[in-house]
Amino acid sequence: MTADTAAWRKSACILCENNRGIQMQTDGRRFTKIRGVKEHVATAGYTCKKALRLDHYQNGGARLTTPLRREPDGSSTPIDRDTAIREIAARSKTVRDTLGGASIFFHCGGRQGNHLGGALLRTLGARYRSNPLTHEKTGEGFVDAHLTGGHTTGDLARAEISLSLSKIPWQSHGVPRARTVLKDIAKDPITGTPWHKHVPAGIQPLPA
């Protein structure tokens, strides 16, 4: 079977909360072709460059393919996953039993990679946690909490008025089908303004 005749497999991108519907052709672990799923109820075939580069993130040359144990001399030794899990669990238990769970600071992944954090925190008796969103989304979270009382996702496609503060959806794709929706807004004879006119000087809009 060649890349041109391989079956298309439906999936979803997990690199942001939009979870865009995608389908791909594969060759072993490699994604040979990636495209949007037009019948996806939310994204309707729309993809951004991150979704189209998933093969790079999964199979890039710098990606680790096995756990590495740090040795006393600073070198790293490849070990299997079962061994890594056992050693990490044993050392975590020692820290908890010696210094208490509150001494453990849990830093986990954001978005799709942190679902097991709560169970691990309870097991270790840890109280403090963080993730990349504390760096990337602190301002958004603060405004969201004080303005709406919780996390919200703007319905840009059906909004009568939309105000973006310190956010450029054309570049960041922070809403579903961002560029398609912004182009539709720009075509509106009453309210439409080409989005690129709002891009700060020195930043060039990426091609659609």
Side-chain angles (χ1 to χ4, degrees), residues 21-141:
I22 58 175
Q23 53 187 341
M24 60 195 71
Q25 290 180 332
T26 61
D27 182 7
R29 283 181 51 84
R30 302 206 67 87
F31 304 145
T32 56
K33 292 184 179 180
I34 301 175
R35 67 187 184 190
V37 177
K38 292 184 178 180
E39 60 269 28
H40 190 277
V41 295
T43 53
Y46 181 90
T47 57
C48 73
K49 287 190 174 184
K50 289 189 294 183
L52 297 178
R53 287 176 54 82
L54 281 172
D55 183 70
H56 167 75
Y57 303 130
Q58 172 159 301
N59 300 303
R63 180 175 178 178
L64 296 178
T65 58
T66 184
L68 298 176
R69 179 201 290 131
R70 180 178 294 175
E71 304 296 352
D73 63 359
S75 63
S76 298
T77 301
I79 59 176
D80 62 85
R81 287 173 173 76
D82 289 341
T83 299
I85 291 173
R86 284 196 301 270
E87 293 188 4
I88 292 171
R91 294 184 184 186
S92 298
K93 183 176 182 300
T94 298
V95 172
R96 181 197 65 186
D97 295 345
T98 304
L99 302 174
S103 66
I104 298 174
F105 183 79
F106 183 72
H107 185 77
C108 61
R111 299 299 183 202
Q112 307 300 320
N114 59 353
H115 301 311
L116 299 179
L120 183 58
L121 285 168
R122 288 192 295 272
T123 300
L124 295 175
R127 297 175 53 192
Y128 306 106
R129 66 183 299 174
S130 179
N131 64 53
L133 302 184
T134 60
H135 311 293
E136 176 189 356
K137 298 290 186 180
T138 301
E140 180 178 336

Side-chain angles (χ1 to χ4, degrees), residues 127-206:
R127 297 175 53 192
Y128 306 106
R129 66 183 299 174
S130 179
N131 64 53
L133 302 184
T134 60
H135 311 293
E136 176 189 356
K137 298 290 186 180
T138 301
E140 180 178 336
F142 180 87
V143 173
D144 237 358
H146 288 78
L147 187 64
T148 68
H151 179 64
T152 60
T153 299
D155 190 356
L156 187 62
R158 292 180 290 185
E160 293 184 4
I161 298 175
S162 178
L163 174 64
S164 293
L165 301 175
S166 300
K167 187 179 187 70
I168 308 177
W170 184 268
Q171 301 287 1
S172 63
H173 301 271
V175 294
R177 303 174 63 243
R179 293 189 178 186
T180 299
V181 171
L182 291 172
K183 286 180 179 179
D184 289 341
I185 292 175
K187 295 175 183 177
D188 189 299
I190 299 177
T191 62
T193 301
W195 191 256
H196 63 80
K197 291 187 178 180
H198 299 284
V199 177
I203 298 180
Q204 297 299 317
L206 298 174

